Amino acid sequence: MENRLIITKYSEQFYPPTPNNFTLFLRRSIFFQLIRFFILNYKIMKIVIKGHS
Amino acid sequence: MSNIVILGAGVAGHTAAAYLQKGLNKNNHKITVISPTPTYQWIPSNIWVGVGRMTPEQIKFDLRPLYKKWGIEFIQAKAQSFYPEGDDQIKTGFVEVEYTNEEHKGVKRKVAYDYLINATGPKLNFEATEGLLPGNGNIASVCTFGHASHAWELFQEKLDKMKNGEKQIFVIGTGHPTATCQGAAFEYILNVDFEIKKRGLEKQAEVIWITNEYELGDFGMGGAFIPKGGFISNTKLFAESYFVERNITWIKRAGVKKLDDHKIYYENLDGEYLEQAYDFAMLIPGFAGHGFKGYDKAGNDISEKLFAPSGLMRVDADYTPKPFEQWSIKDWPETYQNPSYPNIFAPGIAFAPPHSISKPMTSKNGTPIFASAPRTGMPSGIMGKVTADNIIHWIKTGNATMIHKASMGRMGAACIVSAGYGMSKGTAATMTVSPVVPDWEKFPDWGRDIKTTMGEPGLAGHWLKWLMHYMFLYKAKGLPFWWMIPE
C-alpha cells in the first residue's frame, strides 16, 4: 500500500482496487479473524461434504 | 483373493492404499504400493520449505513402517511398462518395474495384478524449457521437498546480497507456455515478498510475476467469480489487488521458452519475443506423462489405448476434440477407469484430462500459451478414495458397476493460498470453488455456485493452512481415527 504512489500511471498496476486501512485492520485483527476462522471452517466443510457425497 | 497394485504414493495413491487396507480383509487380499521413493510428502507445504519456514523433515515421513503395520507390501521402484493382458508366463495383467533402491538399483521385476491403480502423478518436464532445471544457476523450484530446500538456500544467498545493498530481481510464475499449478507459484511469490519485507529489504528487491494465464487469477480453472463487498468480482481483480497491495508487478500471457543465468526469454500472445532479467527465478515446469509403454499379450505396442498423446492415462473422459464453446462438465471423468481395461484406474494427476479448463489461446506465431488444467490435493484425494471404494465394492460384490463417482465438474475444492507465515502476522486467502470445472449449463451467470464460491484474505487463512498441514499429515500417517478426516 505504502508503495502505491510509485506505480506508473496508466500501467496495468494502476487500476486494481487496494484495501483501505480498515480492511487491512480487519484482516489482521486477532478477534475478528478468530470469528472468521470458524466461519471459514464451516464454509469449507460444506464444500468437503458435498465433494464426498 | 485379489491382488491390488498401486503405482505411486502421493496424495491419490496413498489415499487409495489407506482406504483399500481399511476396507478389505488383509488375510484374503494383497495390496502392493510401488513408488520410486519411500517418502510421503505434503506438497502444499513445500512453499514454506522454500522460504525457510519449515524443514523438509516437517513435511515428509517414511512410508515403510506404516505400510508394514497396514500389511501393505512396498516396492521401491519405478514403473516402466504396462502389460494389461499378461504374457506367456503371467496370465493376469502385470507391470514391469525397475528398482530404485540402493540394494537392487536397475533390477527389473514383473508385478502381477488383478486391479491396478496408476497414481504416478506428473513428470515434472523441466527439459521442455531450455535451461529450466532447478539448481541451474539462479533457478529454483518448489515442486518437491528437495527442490524447495534448494530454493531456500538460493533465496538466502539473495537475501544476503540485498543486505549488502545489492538489488535483486525475483521472477516467479510459470516456466512453460502450457504449464499449470499457478496457485503454488502464486503462494511462493507472496511468501518470498513477505519474507523480503519482514527483513526490511524491499528497497533492494523487485518482485515480478510471469504467467501464461490470459488474465491474472485464472489459476488454470478459467478464473472464478467471488461475491465480496457488495459486488461479484472475478479472481482477476482479487489477484491483481493482492499484487498491487504488495508492489509486485506482472507479465501475463507469456510462454517462457528459455532461460540462461540472468535472462528469461518468452513469447507473448501478441507474438513478440521478449526478455526479462532476473537474479532468482522459480518457474513451474510443464507437466507430462512418464513415457510409459503398453503391450498386449502378443507383445504389440498398445500405448495409444492406454495413454493420451500427453503420456497421461486415458480414463472415462470424453476425448472427442471439440471447440471451447462446446465444452461441458460431461467431458470430465467420474470413475477414472480405463475404457479398454476396466481393472486399471488413474486418479489424481495421472489421468489425461479431456481438455484444459481455461480457454486455449495461441500466439500470432502459433504457439499455444494458456494454463493447463490443475488437479490440486483435495480433488486428487477424493479421486483416490473413490477409486478405492469402487474396487472394494467390485471385490466384495463381484459387481463391476462403478457406484462411487467424483467428477471435477461436480465436486468443489478448497484451497488456502498462503501469503506469509506467522501465527499473528501471517496471512492467506481462503478460496473455495464449486464445482472445480465451471458448469455453465447449471450456473449460466457465473459458471459456479456463487453461494459456495469465495475468496477471503486474512490471518484466519494462515491458521487454516497451518492446521491443514498438521491435520493431513496426521491422516497420511494413519494415526488413530485418521479416516474421520476428510480429503
Side-chain angles (χ1 to χ4, degrees):
Chain A
M1 259 286 270
E2 64 275 18
N3 292 319
R4 184 156 169 77
L5 288 176
I6 68 168
I7 293 170
T8 313
K9 293 181 181 68
Y10 291 90
S11 71
E12 284 221 18
Q13 285 78 13
F14 187 60
Y15 297 99
T18 42
N20 60 20
N21 287 338
F22 182 64
T23 303
L24 289 174
F25 166 76
L26 289 181
R27 285 183 189 177
R28 293 165 186 161
S29 157
I30 303 271
F31 177 72
F32 182 73
Q33 289 296 315
L34 201 59
I35 297 166
R36 296 308 300 167
F37 178 76
F38 291 106
I39 293 170
L40 291 171
N41 267 300
Y42 168 72
K43 287 185 170 184
I44 290 173
M45 279 316 291
K46 279 207 304 190
I47 294 272
V48 168
I49 289 162
K50 199 178 160 196
H52 285 65
S53 59
Chain B
M1 177 178 152
S2 292
N3 185 11
I4 305 143
V5 172
I6 302 164
L7 303 175
V11 173
H14 183 59
T15 303
Y19 283 101
L20 281 165
Q21 66 83 28
K22 181 174 178 288
L24 293 172
N25 184 335
K26 277 157 275 181
N27 295 324
N28 298 332
H29 306 287
K30 187 180 174 196
I31 303 167
T32 306
V33 173
I34 301 171
S35 177
T37 58
T39 310
Y40 180 87
Q41 59 171 321
W42 179 242
I43 291 174
S45 296
N46 278 351
I47 50 125
W48 286 339
V49 175
V51 292
R53 290 302 182 143
M54 280 193 173
T55 63
E57 285 63 39
Q58 284 176 281
I59 69 161
K60 68 183 176 87
F61 67 93
D62 191 337
L63 283 164
R64 288 169 293 191
L66 174 64
Y67 285 165
K68 194 175 175 189
K69 189 178 96 181
W70 277 351
I72 292 174
E73 185 189 358
F74 178 75
I75 300 173
Q76 191 180 334
K78 58 181 178 187
Q80 292 195 316
S81 310
F82 291 58
Y83 294 80
E85 298 169 11
D87 64 5
D88 293 343
Q89 280 102 40
I90 302 174
K91 299 299 166 203
T92 64
F94 68 89
V95 281
E96 190 172 68
V97 303
E98 185 182 299
Y99 280 95
T100 56
N101 57 359
E102 285 305 317
E103 203 181 346
H104 302 106
K105 199 166 191 172
V107 175
K108 291 188 178 181
R109 176 181 166 182
K110 293 173 177 177
V111 183
Y113 64 80
D114 297 314
Y115 302 90
L116 178 68
I117 299 176
N118 170 22
T120 45
K123 176 191 169 193
L124 301 170
N125 203 8
F126 291 105
E127 295 82 5
T129 306
E130 192 183 334
L132 185 61
L133 267 181
N136 193 2
N138 296 312
I139 299 163
S141 158
V142 289
C143 294
T144 68
F145 65 82
H147 290 167
S149 187
H150 163 259
W152 168 228
E153 286 171 22
L154 191 62
F155 185 34
Q156 283 178 95
E157 282 178 29
K158 307 302 170 189
L159 289 170
D160 288 341
K161 283 189 174 183
M162 289 193 290
K163 279 176 199 161
N164 293 329
E166 273 188 62
K167 293 229 173 205
Q168 296 288 299
I169 303 172
F170 295 83
V171 184
I172 295 168
T174 52
H176 186 269
T178 57
T180 182
C181 253
Q182 285 76 11
F186 190 74
E187 283 188 270
Y188 192 59
I189 194 171
L190 295 170
N191 273 273
V192 162
D193 180 73
F194 180 84
E195 296 297 333
I196 290 169
K197 291 198 172 106
K198 196 171 164 44
R199 290 164 176 80
L201 297 169
E202 61 269 29
K203 285 196 175 125
Q204 265 69 46
E206 187 178 351
V207 185
I208 302 169
W209 173 247
I210 189 164
T211 181
N212 56 0
E213 298 159 293
Y214 186 75
E215 293 292 356
L216 267 59
D218 181 282
F219 297 130
M221 55 172 191
F225 289 97
I226 296 168
K228 193 82 185 161
F231 291 85
I232 292 174
S233 330
N234 193 276
T235 41
K236 166 182 156 50
L237 224 62
F238 168 85
E240 288 180 350
S241 174
Y242 240 54
F243 281 168
V244 168
E245 183 191 340
R246 290 164 174 77
N247 199 29
I248 297 172
T249 54
W250 60 84
I251 302 166
K252 62 185 180 183
R253 304 172 191 174
V256 172
K257 297 285 188 74
K258 183 184 157 187
L259 292 90
D260 62 26
D261 280 351
H262 301 287
K263 276 185 183 168
I264 295 166
Y265 301 87
Y266 66 95
E267 179 186 343
N268 65 18
L269 275 180
D270 291 330
E272 298 169 304
Y273 294 97
L274 302 166
E275 298 171 7
Q276 172 60 53
Y278 77 98
D279 297 298
F280 176 101
M282 197 301 290
L283 305 178
I284 302 282
F287 287 177
H290 291 270
F292 298 134
K293 289 283 182 188
Y295 299 97
D296 68 7
K297 201 164 192 170
N300 298 311
D301 192 326
I302 53 161
S303 303
E304 281 186 17
K305 258 171 115 174
L306 287 169
F307 304 104
S310 62
L312 297 168
M313 186 164 257
R314 290 185 187 278
V315 292
D316 58 319
D318 181 355
Y319 294 107
T320 315
K322 55 181 99 165
F324 174 74
E325 291 70 24
Q326 290 173 27
W327 290 358
S328 157
I329 61 155
K330 296 183 191 84
D331 303 341
W332 288 80
E334 293 181 318
T335 62
Y336 308 93
Q337 190 179 31
N338 181 263
S340 304
Y341 299 98
N343 60 340
I344 300 180
F345 300 82
I349 304 179
F351 85 82
H355 41 66
S356 58
I357 302 173
S358 305
K359 187 176 181 178
M361 302 279 181
T362 307
S363 79
K364 286 179 179 169
N365 308 314
T367 308
I369 302 175
F370 62 93
S372 297
R375 275 149 286 172
T376 55
M378 185 176 163
S380 293
I382 293 172
M383 289 174 211
K385 181 177 189 295
V386 160
T387 303
D389 288 344
N390 278 325
I391 292 174
I392 292 166
H393 176 258
W394 190 345
I395 290 170
K396 284 187 173 172
T397 65
N399 184 348
T401 309
M402 300 288 109
I403 58 165
H404 303 279
K405 294 177 180 174
S407 164
M408 282 172 63
R410 292 199 181 84
M411 74 168 95
C415 182
I416 317 293
V417 182
S418 171
Y421 188 100
M423 296 313 274
S424 61
K425 304 279 182 198
T427 184
T430 307
M431 288 190 69
T432 59
V433 290
S434 180
V436 179
V437 179
D439 184 351
W440 293 101
E441 287 169 32
K442 192 172 177 185
F443 307 107
D445 289 333
W446 313 111
R448 296 187 175 92
D449 181 0
I450 205 72
K451 288 181 193 153
T452 51
T453 298
M454 63 155 184
E456 184 174 321
L459 177 60
H462 175 75
W463 296 338
L464 270 166
K465 180 137 183 128
W466 182 86
L467 184 69
M468 282 185 184
H469 165 90
Y470 289 102
M471 198 171 75
F472 286 121
L473 275 172
Y474 182 96
K475 179 184 171 82
K477 286 177 181 172
L479 293 168
F481 303 105
W482 63 266
W483 41 268
M484 290 185 75
I485 300 170
E487 280 62 51

